[in-house]
PDB file of all heavy atoms in Angstrom:
ATOM      1  N   MET T 233      18.851 185.709 101.642  1.00  0.00           N
ATOM      2  CA  MET T 233      17.957 184.557 101.578  1.00  0.00           C
ATOM      3  C   MET T 233      18.488 183.314 102.312  1.00  0.00           C
ATOM      4  O   MET T 233      17.736 182.656 103.050  1.00  0.00           O
ATOM      5  CB  MET T 233      17.641 184.203 100.123  1.00  0.00           C
ATOM      6  CG  MET T 233      16.494 185.019  99.531  1.00  0.00           C
ATOM      7  SD  MET T 233      14.971 184.771 100.479  1.00  0.00           S
ATOM      8  CE  MET T 233      13.917 186.006  99.733  1.00  0.00           C
ATOM      9  N   PRO T 234      19.768 182.952 102.178  1.00  0.00           N
ATOM     10  CA  PRO T 234      20.252 181.812 102.964  1.00  0.00           C
ATOM     11  C   PRO T 234      20.138 182.039 104.468  1.00  0.00           C
ATOM     12  O   PRO T 234      19.783 181.118 105.220  1.00  0.00           O
ATOM     13  CB  PRO T 234      21.721 181.681 102.527  1.00  0.00           C
ATOM     14  CG  PRO T 234      21.767 182.303 101.183  1.00  0.00           C
ATOM     15  CD  PRO T 234      20.796 183.431 101.219  1.00  0.00           C
ATOM     16  N   THR T 235      20.399 183.273 104.916  1.00  0.00           N
ATOM     17  CA  THR T 235      20.281 183.581 106.335  1.00  0.00           C
ATOM     18  C   THR T 235      18.812 183.556 106.778  1.00  0.00           C
ATOM     19  O   THR T 235      18.491 183.075 107.876  1.00  0.00           O
ATOM     20  CB  THR T 235      20.876 184.968 106.621  1.00  0.00           C
ATOM     21  OG1 THR T 235      22.222 185.019 106.132  1.00  0.00           O
ATOM     22  CG2 THR T 235      20.889 185.268 108.113  1.00  0.00           C
ATOM     23  N   ILE T 236      17.939 184.087 105.915  1.00  0.00           N
ATOM     24  CA  ILE T 236      16.508 184.059 106.247  1.00  0.00           C
ATOM     25  C   ILE T 236      16.005 182.624 106.328  1.00  0.00           C
ATOM     26  O   ILE T 236      15.211 182.268 107.214  1.00  0.00           O
ATOM     27  CB  ILE T 236      15.720 184.860 105.199  1.00  0.00           C
ATOM     28  CG1 ILE T 236      16.089 186.344 105.260  1.00  0.00           C
ATOM     29  CG2 ILE T 236      14.213 184.699 105.390  1.00  0.00           C
ATOM     30  CD1 ILE T 236      15.470 187.191 104.172  1.00  0.00           C
ATOM     31  N   LEU T 237      16.473 181.769 105.408  1.00  0.00           N
ATOM     32  CA  LEU T 237      16.088 180.343 105.437  1.00  0.00           C
ATOM     33  C   LEU T 237      16.543 179.713 106.730  1.00  0.00           C
ATOM     34  O   LEU T 237      15.756 179.011 107.407  1.00  0.00           O
ATOM     35  CB  LEU T 237      16.684 179.620 104.248  1.00  0.00           C
ATOM     36  CG  LEU T 237      16.536 178.087 104.249  1.00  0.00           C
ATOM     37  CD1 LEU T 237      15.068 177.675 104.269  1.00  0.00           C
ATOM     38  CD2 LEU T 237      17.273 177.472 103.057  1.00  0.00           C
ATOM     39  N   LEU T 238      17.788 179.939 107.124  1.00  0.00           N
ATOM     40  CA  LEU T 238      18.297 179.354 108.366  1.00  0.00           C
ATOM     41  C   LEU T 238      17.479 179.825 109.559  1.00  0.00           C
ATOM     42  O   LEU T 238      17.066 179.008 110.410  1.00  0.00           O
ATOM     43  CB  LEU T 238      19.776 179.772 108.545  1.00  0.00           C
ATOM     44  CG  LEU T 238      20.401 179.400 109.897  1.00  0.00           C
ATOM     45  CD1 LEU T 238      20.457 177.895 110.079  1.00  0.00           C
ATOM     46  CD2 LEU T 238      21.794 180.022 110.006  1.00  0.00           C
ATOM     47  N   ASN T 239      17.230 181.124 109.625  1.00  0.00           N
ATOM     48  CA  ASN T 239      16.471 181.653 110.766  1.00  0.00           C
ATOM     49  C   ASN T 239      15.044 181.120 110.779  1.00  0.00           C
ATOM     50  O   ASN T 239      14.504 180.811 111.835  1.00  0.00           O
ATOM     51  CB  ASN T 239      16.471 183.186 110.681  1.00  0.00           C
ATOM     52  CG  ASN T 239      17.111 183.836 111.884  1.00  0.00           C
ATOM     53  OD1 ASN T 239      17.269 183.207 112.924  1.00  0.00           O
ATOM     54  ND2 ASN T 239      17.514 185.067 111.737  1.00  0.00           N
ATOM     55  N   THR T 240      14.443 181.029 109.613  1.00  0.00           N
ATOM     56  CA  THR T 240      13.055 180.532 109.540  1.00  0.00           C
ATOM     57  C   THR T 240      12.946 179.118 110.034  1.00  0.00           C
ATOM     58  O   THR T 240      12.041 178.775 110.815  1.00  0.00           O
ATOM     59  CB  THR T 240      12.528 180.619 108.096  1.00  0.00           C
ATOM     60  OG1 THR T 240      12.621 181.980 107.636  1.00  0.00           O
ATOM     61  CG2 THR T 240      11.087 180.170 108.009  1.00  0.00           C
ATOM     62  N   ILE T 241      13.875 178.264 109.623  1.00  0.00           N
ATOM     63  CA  ILE T 241      13.840 176.859 110.052  1.00  0.00           C
ATOM     64  C   ILE T 241      14.121 176.754 111.550  1.00  0.00           C
ATOM     65  O   ILE T 241      13.420 175.991 112.255  1.00  0.00           O
ATOM     66  CB  ILE T 241      14.863 176.037 109.245  1.00  0.00           C
ATOM     67  CG1 ILE T 241      14.403 175.951 107.773  1.00  0.00           C
ATOM     68  CG2 ILE T 241      15.008 174.638 109.835  1.00  0.00           C
ATOM     69  CD1 ILE T 241      15.345 175.196 106.894  1.00  0.00           C
ATOM     70  N   LEU T 242      15.090 177.497 112.044  1.00  0.00           N
ATOM     71  CA  LEU T 242      15.404 177.430 113.470  1.00  0.00           C
ATOM     72  C   LEU T 242      14.212 177.906 114.322  1.00  0.00           C
ATOM     73  O   LEU T 242      13.853 177.249 115.310  1.00  0.00           O
ATOM     74  CB  LEU T 242      16.634 178.295 113.780  1.00  0.00           C
ATOM     75  CG  LEU T 242      17.973 177.770 113.246  1.00  0.00           C
ATOM     76  CD1 LEU T 242      19.078 178.757 113.568  1.00  0.00           C
ATOM     77  CD2 LEU T 242      18.303 176.414 113.838  1.00  0.00           C
ATOM     78  N   VAL T 243      13.628 179.041 113.960  1.00  0.00           N
ATOM     79  CA  VAL T 243      12.511 179.573 114.733  1.00  0.00           C
ATOM     80  C   VAL T 243      11.294 178.674 114.618  1.00  0.00           C
ATOM     81  O   VAL T 243      10.621 178.380 115.626  1.00  0.00           O
ATOM     82  CB  VAL T 243      12.177 181.006 114.276  1.00  0.00           C
ATOM     83  CG1 VAL T 243      10.960 181.538 115.007  1.00  0.00           C
ATOM     84  CG2 VAL T 243      13.369 181.937 114.535  1.00  0.00           C
ATOM     85  N   THR T 244      10.988 178.193 113.426  1.00  0.00           N
ATOM     86  CA  THR T 244       9.818 177.327 113.249  1.00  0.00           C
ATOM     87  C   THR T 244       9.975 176.036 114.035  1.00  0.00           C
ATOM     88  O   THR T 244       9.045 175.576 114.706  1.00  0.00           O
ATOM     89  CB  THR T 244       9.607 177.002 111.757  1.00  0.00           C
ATOM     90  OG1 THR T 244       9.471 178.229 111.030  1.00  0.00           O
ATOM     91  CG2 THR T 244       8.364 176.150 111.567  1.00  0.00           C
ATOM     92  N   THR T 245      11.158 175.436 113.942  1.00  0.00           N
ATOM     93  CA  THR T 245      11.414 174.184 114.677  1.00  0.00           C
ATOM     94  C   THR T 245      11.265 174.416 116.184  1.00  0.00           C
ATOM     95  O   THR T 245      10.669 173.591 116.899  1.00  0.00           O
ATOM     96  CB  THR T 245      12.806 173.647 114.360  1.00  0.00           C
ATOM     97  OG1 THR T 245      12.905 173.435 112.960  1.00  0.00           O
ATOM     98  CG2 THR T 245      13.055 172.339 115.089  1.00  0.00           C
TER      99      THR T 245
END
Side-chain angles (χ1 to χ4, degrees):
M233 276 301 171
T235 306
I236 294 174
L237 171 61
L238 172 64
N239 241 340
T240 302
I241 292 178
L242 290 177
V243 175
T244 303
T245 302

